[in-house]
Amino acid sequence: MPTVLSLLDLAPIAAGQTARDSLAASVALAGAAERAGYQRVWYAEHHNMATIASSATSVVIGHVAAHTSTIRLGAGGIMLPNHSPLVIAEQFGTLETLYPGRIDLGLGRAPGSDQVTMRALRRDHSSADTFPQDVLELQGYLAGKSVIPGVQAVPRGDQPVPLYILGSSLFGAQLAAKLGLPYAFASHFAPDALHQAVRVYRQTFTPSEQLAEPYVIAGVNVVAAASHDEAVAQKTAAYRARTRAFISRGAVGQNFTDAEIDAFLASPGGQNLAQMTRYTAVGTPDEVRDYLTEFATSCEADELITAHHAQSVEDRIRSIELTGAAMAAPAAV
């Protein structure tokens, strides 16, 4: 059983709710995770999506940090090709200065948006090609060892913000191994290459100043409830809502009946979408614990970062609490 359990907050904006509601929910979820003994909460950078409130990721982290006390908070992740490494170093150096010892920085190279939004972000199509160099430039700023003569990031925390490489392919695994950084795999929505990527990462890992041994974080979906039937019902409602958002391209207010959604999910295209959430623990606390334990063992994960998908904030909080208690309990003999 993994000793580390964390939370990925997708900051969803539900139909009939506002972004302010979503951010208030993020504070409540982080508080629940903190009380339940989770190690960290991460927020992802997405743009031009009406159903996600975490586009200004560093601002969200700072807001939640001000309303919590001990839990680590970070980006899972910042899409570095969208940004100047110096600007990200300044943002996260500021966060580390304000909340020392509590800030993480996960880095990805995907756009987190569509082609039109990429242009609005002033992102060049070739910017992902320099991702490895940009990671090193950012790392230098955060450690006070800038690779750009005469340029430094201010403010900078007393300790460098730890970096994590995020990925869903062998590229991220190879880069994380080469740089000696922890590797977080997005198996909660892109499961196909999980086991191969972890194997490559562990086999080729090179120790670094930040990390002496390989460290793997694996994403997994969770719906925990008091009863199995209740958890299944919550999962069904949540994944129907996810499918609605997908086929309406994120626009809030599109009306598709449950029957239409179920028919789509039964189609070849819908089955491909359903496979994205292949790794989902659903059921009672005991059932969720057993699933997460087997999952962590199968992919050699040192840490699981859980995305809880119940529709209501109250049900997501309860899922976080039940999962945390179950994973902390001694295993039955």
Side-chain angles (χ1 to χ4, degrees):
M1 181 179 298
T3 58
V4 181
L5 188 67
S6 294
L7 174 66
L8 175 63
D9 181 2
L10 300 174
I13 305 173
Q17 301 293 310
T18 66
R20 186 180 183 89
D21 296 328
S22 172
L23 296 173
S26 289
V27 171
L29 293 173
E34 184 172 75
R35 292 188 298 273
Y38 286 59
Q39 173 76 4
R40 67 187 93 245
V41 184
W42 278 2
Y43 308 90
E45 175 190 345
H46 294 283
H47 298 284
N48 194 31
M49 297 186 70
T51 56
I52 296 180
S54 56
S55 55
T57 314
S58 60
V59 179
V60 175
I61 293 168
H63 176 67
V64 177
H67 290 83
T68 51
S69 301
T70 58
I71 197 164
R72 297 190 65 88
L73 300 161
I78 291 293
M79 300 299 105
L80 192 54
N82 292 342
H83 309 279
S84 154
L86 176 60
V87 170
I88 297 303
E90 290 170 341
Q91 292 177 4
F92 280 80
T94 300
L95 288 169
E96 177 64 23
T97 299
L98 292 171
Y99 307 102
R102 296 183 58 201
I103 304 301
D104 299 330
L105 178 48
L107 301 169
R109 65 168 182 154
S113 58
D114 54 46
Q115 297 295 315
V116 175
T117 308
M118 282 176 59
R119 290 195 292 272
L121 287 165
R122 306 296 192 268
R123 172 178 169 153
D124 185 271
H125 284 278
S126 64
S127 55
D129 297 340
T130 62
F131 179 65
Q133 293 80 13
D134 289 344
V135 172
L136 292 174
E137 181 181 341
L138 173 59
Q139 189 175 45
Y141 291 135
L142 292 171
K145 301 175 182 177
S146 175
V147 299
I148 308 298
V151 178
Q152 60 180 324
V154 180
R156 181 170 57 84
D158 291 337
Q159 298 294 326
V161 176
L163 299 184
Y164 299 75
I165 298 297
L166 278 57
S168 57
S169 68
L170 299 187
F171 176 87
Q174 292 165 339
L175 180 62
K178 181 178 180 179
L179 299 181
L181 295 176
Y183 180 51
F185 193 92
S187 36
H188 62 293
F189 77 91
D192 290 346
L194 170 63
H195 293 85
Q196 183 182 9
V198 171
R199 184 166 58 251
V200 167
Y201 169 70
R202 289 193 176 278
Q203 289 175 349
T204 61
F205 179 83
T206 301
S208 68
E209 186 174 342
Q210 177 178 325
L211 192 65
E213 300 288 340
Y215 191 86
V216 172
I217 302 175
V220 60
N221 305 291
V222 176
V223 183
S227 73
H228 178 83
D229 289 347
E230 182 183 356
V232 170
Q234 290 180 13
K235 174 196 169 186
T236 300
Y239 283 4
R240 281 174 176 163
R242 177 180 180 273
T243 305
R244 284 188 179 92
F246 177 83
I247 62 179
S248 62
R249 298 188 182 277
V252 174
Q254 292 285 342
N255 293 318
F256 296 94
T257 67
D258 287 349
E260 289 171 330
I261 294 297
D262 291 344
F264 172 74
L265 289 172
S267 70
Q271 290 174 4
N272 290 336
L273 180 63
Q275 279 298 307
M276 293 171 64
T277 52
R278 180 190 316 160
Y279 295 127
T280 298
V282 56
T284 64
D286 286 347
E287 289 173 323
V288 166
R289 181 193 61 227
D290 291 346
Y291 183 98
L292 294 181
T293 300
E294 182 178 349
F295 173 71
T297 300
S298 74
C299 64
E300 299 182 81
D302 301 290
E303 178 176 339
L304 297 180
I305 188 158
T306 58
H308 295 256
H309 288 290
Q311 286 287 87
S312 77
V313 176
E314 293 76 17
D315 286 340
R316 290 205 301 278
I317 288 175
R318 189 61 180 146
S319 182
I320 289 168
E321 293 171 340
L322 292 173
T323 303
M327 295 299 283
V333 178

